[in-house]
Amino acid sequence: MTTIIDVAKQAGVSFKTVSRVLNGESNVRPETKDKVLQAAQALNYRVNSAARRLRSKTPHLVALFLNNPSRSYAQDVQIGAMAGCQDAGFTLVVEDPEKNGAIERLAAQDGLLGAILTPPQSDDPKIIARLNAARVPFVRIGTERSVAGSNQVGIDDRAAAVDMTNYLIGLGHRRIGFICGPQDHEASLRRYKGYCDALQAAGIAFDNDIIERGDFTYASGLTLSERLLALENRPSAIFASNDEMAAGCLAAAYRRNIRVPEKLSVTGFDDSPVARVIYPALTTLHQATRDMSQKAIALLDQKRRQDSDEEIVVKLPHELVIRDSTGPFIPN
Amino acid sequence: MTTIIDVAKQAGVSFKTVSRVLNGESNVRPETKDKVLQAAQALNYRVNSAARRLRSKTPHLVALFLNNPSRSYAQDVQIGAMAGCQDAGFTLVVEDPEKNGAIERLAAQDGLLGAILTPPQSDDPKIIARLNAARVPFVRIGTERSVAGSNQVGIDDRAAAVDMTNYLIGLGHRRIGFICGPQDHEASLRRYKGYCDALQAAGIAFDNDIIERGDFTYASGLTLSERLLALENRPSAIFASNDEMAAGCLAAAYRRNIRVPEKLSVTGFDDSPVARVIYPALTTLHQATRDMSQKAIALLDQKRRQDSDEEIVVKLPHELVIRDSTGPFIPN
DNA sequence: CTGAAAGCGCTAACAC
DNA sequence: GTGTTAGCGCTTTCAG
């Protein structure tokens, strides 16, 4: 195992200088820095995070507040957060933000680096207020509503919905139904906005009859799709705001013997595990949920190091994933 | 922050004795041990894993070999493993066992505690042989086939399938279809065995016509259920060996307009996230996948400490989860 | 069975 | 800009 002492010898500097370089402290001459970095590389040096943590009493606890009805979403967030913690040698504590006093109890703990908020808590003013009162730094995930002094990581939901809608339009669909997510959910509204914007840009008339309000559950997707499919002039495509509702939509299509994608195109959003498990496999919009929470932890860490107060907003890329639930519009 | 020195003072012993107690070394008088434990409790002492790892050059890397088609299963395993690692201050490396040389590369690494194998690799003789050749300790998850020198963590699949079948029989069902998992999958065979055993115990004649062989995919569940439901004398209940096939079964029932659970009871196995997302919510058998991998890591750790070679087999409890996809048998 | 001394790899504080 | 010294909390020798 190589230590900073080995690196220092190789580079011909004191081991303290190596430490400085490794921690990105500013007062090191660039050429010295290069020498150190090269030596570290050559010796395949890896920091010993145990030693670092032992010495520097830097916070090592990260709280993930998680209370989301979608288990797959929760799992993705958690895996990303755990990965982020391992990267930096932190310990993750997963807590239910609704639990009484959970926030305050954690804030009182020693060595709390910060917290991560997930939807729908990302947009809950009460929770944000409690966090601020307890002076706990936090990052909000999967939201775009800005809040004073808050960092956030997410995708551009509107743009993503535009992409999805344009894809359907490109397939020849003109009558595209839309199933909204819950109204108190920031991302839902942005997705709806994207849908509307894309229609307008394509010069397609907006029709309120083929817009439904769901709540992200399979059941709501099923019921509302039944309604859409019962219409005399039913849509040739349905854009559901998440995968679980899209799954419900597929079931509704089955019931009515409407073949997907021949007679009906269906799309979801999120690229959750359901999307692959269902038949036909869902065309959906992949968002890197895992990366979000991982990134969020890196953010927390970085902000502490730089002792920075500025609000950081990170936008991650999204990706349209085309599977089997969508196809070209075929007139009857 | 309390240290072992604080605990030692409180207990009136030297701090080394505290260390001994904490590490479960044998040569400590029981009463001394009690005193120390009480003091630790009173002071709310928590080991500083950073300090421990820094000093004791104990292995800190755990490899999780994961290559499972079911994403939800994989996530569960991973979350459990990460939790187990955090408990003990280990670092988790997730690897694809099929990747060329992955096993050997890891084995060559410094500080590898051991590996965790998940299905279907848990029963792959080649992989087991390579692990043995590289002298990497490992724990196999979700399997019951015993292999010389191997530790395993799982549930009693046969007993669980018996419970499920008995539940259906208790509802009055006599004609219970069964959809097998893949034949090379140890757990599949045990589940099938449990189904057969329960039927026999209840004096129900076994009927080969209502047994199908699936492969754990949604698509196979759909196709095979179609076949079962097309039978003149179709079953009143179908027991699918995992949730994804059960989901396919529900879709098949929809297609034929067979109402679930009124006209057909459907059960899955695993209690994966799909089970809740689908309509009607699946009656299934919960197995604590997360706990399994967490437990597996604790096992690896324990075995290293005790320098033990004995084979350990851990059986975790399972639980029948009754939701909405099953109901009493109603004659036509 | 228990204790004293040494030191893991790193960073904080203070020199120079 | 860079180096020196001390010591984090724990386990590992080695003595009793």
Side-chain angles (χ1 to χ4, degrees):
Chain A
M1 164 163 262
T2 67
T3 73
I4 52 171
I5 299 187
D6 303 325
V7 176
K9 274 183 198 146
Q10 173 94 1
V13 295
S14 89
F15 72 87
K16 174 66 227 192
T17 303
V18 176
S19 168
R20 284 207 176 90
V21 172
L22 261 30
N23 288 37
E25 289 173 35
S26 51
N27 41 350
V28 180
R29 275 219 316 269
E31 48 190 277
T32 313
K33 185 173 168 181
D34 282 352
K35 258 195 307 190
V36 170
L37 255 23
Q38 267 175 23
Q41 179 101 42
L43 297 175
N44 190 27
Y45 169 81
R46 317 263 306 143
V47 282
N48 182 326
S49 69
R52 174 178 283 180
R53 271 219 349 246
L54 174 57
R55 187 61 243 238
S56 78
K57 304 272 183 152
T58 190
H60 65 281
L61 230 50
V62 176
L64 171 64
F65 288 112
L66 202 51
N67 181 347
N68 193 290
S70 164
R71 193 175 149 195
S72 57
Y73 180 84
Q75 282 192 336
D76 259 352
V77 169
Q78 196 172 339
I79 285 189
M82 284 176 150
C85 281
Q86 292 238 354
D87 289 349
F90 298 135
T91 302
L92 187 72
V93 189
V94 184
E95 280 282 2
D96 182 348
E98 309 293 345
K99 213 166 64 188
N100 232 322
I103 292 176
E104 288 70 20
R105 204 171 334 106
L106 267 166
Q109 278 247 359
D110 230 36
L112 180 64
L113 174 66
I116 298 184
L117 247 47
T118 56
Q121 285 81 28
S122 299
D123 292 312
D124 185 331
K126 274 190 206 147
I127 290 190
I128 291 174
R130 281 167 64 197
L131 245 18
N132 278 328
R135 309 200 141 275
V136 176
F138 60 94
V139 176
R140 294 154 60 231
I141 275 187
T143 181
E144 296 185 85
R145 183 185 303 162
S146 74
V147 162
S150 137
N151 313 288
Q152 37 185 296
V153 179
I155 63 167
D156 186 335
D157 279 286
R158 196 201 66 89
V162 166
D163 288 356
M164 178 61 88
T165 311
N166 281 341
Y167 163 69
L168 290 171
I169 293 172
L171 286 173
H173 296 283
R174 288 294 173 273
R175 207 163 158 66
I176 302 172
F178 188 83
I179 305 181
C180 264
Q183 304 295 303
D184 65 331
H185 202 295
E186 176 71 12
S188 293
L189 305 177
R190 308 258 176 183
R191 290 173 196 175
Y192 178 56
K193 181 87 168 37
Y195 161 79
C196 295
D197 289 357
L199 285 190
Q200 190 171 18
I204 298 175
F206 176 87
D207 181 353
N208 210 27
D209 288 353
I210 54 173
I211 310 292
E212 296 285 354
R213 296 188 170 191
D215 62 3
F216 277 171
T217 64
Y218 178 94
S220 73
L222 181 62
T223 313
L224 299 173
S225 297
E226 287 278 5
R227 217 141 89 188
L228 289 174
L229 297 177
L231 290 175
E232 191 113 6
N233 181 17
R234 72 167 194 243
S236 68
I238 294 180
F239 177 178
S241 303
N242 80 343
D243 288 345
E244 307 193 357
M245 295 196 301
C249 182
L250 287 179
Y254 281 140
R255 278 198 183 173
R256 302 196 147 253
N257 256 318
I258 299 171
R259 296 188 61 188
V260 176
E262 292 83 352
K263 295 287 181 183
L264 177 73
S265 285
V266 175
T267 75
F269 204 103
D270 280 353
D271 196 17
S272 70
V274 220
R276 297 159 182 272
V277 157
I278 221 158
Y279 183 82
L282 268 182
T283 290
T284 184
L285 199 131
H286 180 79
Q287 59 169 321
T289 306
R290 227 178 262 208
D291 296 349
M292 282 186 204
S293 46
Q294 189 165 5
K295 181 82 195 171
I297 286 172
L299 236 180
L300 239 28
D301 189 23
Q302 179 194 336
K303 297 202 58 169
R304 185 198 55 77
R305 286 168 118 95
Q306 305 175 348
D307 198 23
S308 142
D309 262 351
E310 68 180 322
E311 301 167 24
I312 296 184
V313 174
V314 178
K315 279 270 176 288
L316 258 35
H318 57 262
E319 188 192 355
L320 182 60
V321 181
I322 298 173
R323 298 210 178 91
D324 311 325
S325 66
T326 47
F329 172 64
I330 301 170
N332 275 331
Chain B
M1 163 162 264
T2 65
T3 74
I4 51 171
I5 299 187
D6 302 325
V7 176
K9 275 184 196 142
Q10 173 94 359
V13 295
S14 89
F15 71 86
K16 172 65 228 193
T17 303
V18 175
S19 168
R20 284 208 176 89
V21 172
L22 261 30
N23 287 34
E25 290 173 36
S26 49
N27 40 352
V28 180
R29 275 219 315 269
E31 50 191 274
T32 313
K33 186 173 167 180
D34 281 353
K35 256 195 308 189
V36 169
L37 255 23
Q38 267 174 25
Q41 179 101 46
L43 297 175
N44 189 28
Y45 169 80
R46 318 264 305 144
V47 281
N48 182 326
S49 68
R52 173 178 284 181
R53 267 210 4 237
L54 173 57
R55 186 62 243 236
S56 76
K57 303 272 183 149
T58 190
H60 64 281
L61 231 51
V62 176
L64 172 64
F65 288 112
L66 202 50
N67 181 347
N68 193 291
S70 164
R71 192 174 149 195
S72 56
Y73 180 84
Q75 283 193 336
D76 258 352
V77 169
Q78 197 172 338
I79 286 186
M82 284 176 151
C85 281
Q86 292 238 353
D87 289 349
F90 298 136
T91 302
L92 188 73
V93 189
V94 184
E95 280 281 1
D96 182 348
E98 309 292 345
K99 213 166 65 187
N100 233 320
I103 292 177
E104 288 70 19
R105 204 172 333 106
L106 267 166
Q109 279 247 358
D110 231 36
L112 180 65
L113 174 65
I116 299 184
L117 247 47
T118 56
Q121 286 81 28
S122 298
D123 291 313
D124 184 330
K126 275 191 206 148
I127 290 189
I128 292 175
R130 281 167 66 197
L131 246 16
N132 278 328
R135 311 199 141 275
V136 176
F138 59 94
V139 176
R140 295 154 60 231
I141 277 188
T143 182
E144 297 185 85
R145 183 185 304 163
S146 73
V147 162
S150 137
N151 312 289
Q152 35 186 296
V153 179
I155 63 167
D156 186 335
D157 280 287
R158 197 201 65 88
V162 166
D163 288 355
M164 179 61 89
T165 311
N166 281 341
Y167 163 67
L168 290 172
I169 293 172
L171 286 173
H173 297 283
R174 289 295 173 269
R175 209 164 156 66
I176 302 172
F178 187 84
I179 305 181
C180 264
Q183 304 295 304
D184 65 331
H185 203 294
E186 176 72 12
S188 293
L189 305 176
R190 307 259 176 184
R191 290 174 197 175
Y192 178 55
K193 181 84 168 38
Y195 161 79
C196 295
D197 289 357
L199 285 190
Q200 189 170 18
I204 298 175
F206 176 88
D207 181 352
N208 210 27
D209 289 351
I210 54 174
I211 311 291
E212 296 286 354
R213 297 188 169 190
D215 62 3
F216 277 171
T217 64
Y218 178 93
S220 74
L222 180 63
T223 313
L224 299 173
S225 298
E226 287 278 5
R227 218 141 90 185
L228 289 174
L229 296 178
L231 290 174
E232 189 114 5
N233 181 16
R234 72 168 194 243
S236 67
I238 295 181
F239 177 178
S241 303
N242 80 342
D243 289 343
E244 309 193 356
M245 295 197 299
C249 182
L250 287 179
Y254 281 142
R255 279 197 182 174
R256 303 194 145 253
N257 256 318
I258 298 171
R259 296 187 62 187
V260 177
E262 292 82 353
K263 295 288 181 181
L264 177 72
S265 285
V266 175
T267 76
F269 203 102
D270 281 351
D271 196 19
S272 69
V274 220
R276 296 158 181 272
V277 157
I278 221 158
Y279 183 83
L282 269 183
T283 290
T284 185
L285 198 131
H286 181 79
Q287 57 168 322
T289 306
R290 233 177 256 211
D291 296 349
M292 282 186 204
S293 45
Q294 190 164 4
K295 181 80 196 172
I297 286 172
L299 236 180
L300 239 29
D301 189 23
Q302 177 194 338
K303 296 203 59 169
R304 184 198 55 77
R305 288 166 118 92
Q306 305 175 348
D307 199 23
S308 142
D309 261 352
E310 69 180 322
E311 300 168 22
I312 296 184
V313 174
V314 178
K315 281 270 176 285
L316 259 35
H318 58 262
E319 189 193 354
L320 182 60
V321 181
I322 299 173
R323 299 211 178 91
D324 311 325
S325 66
T326 47
F329 172 64
I330 302 170
N332 276 329

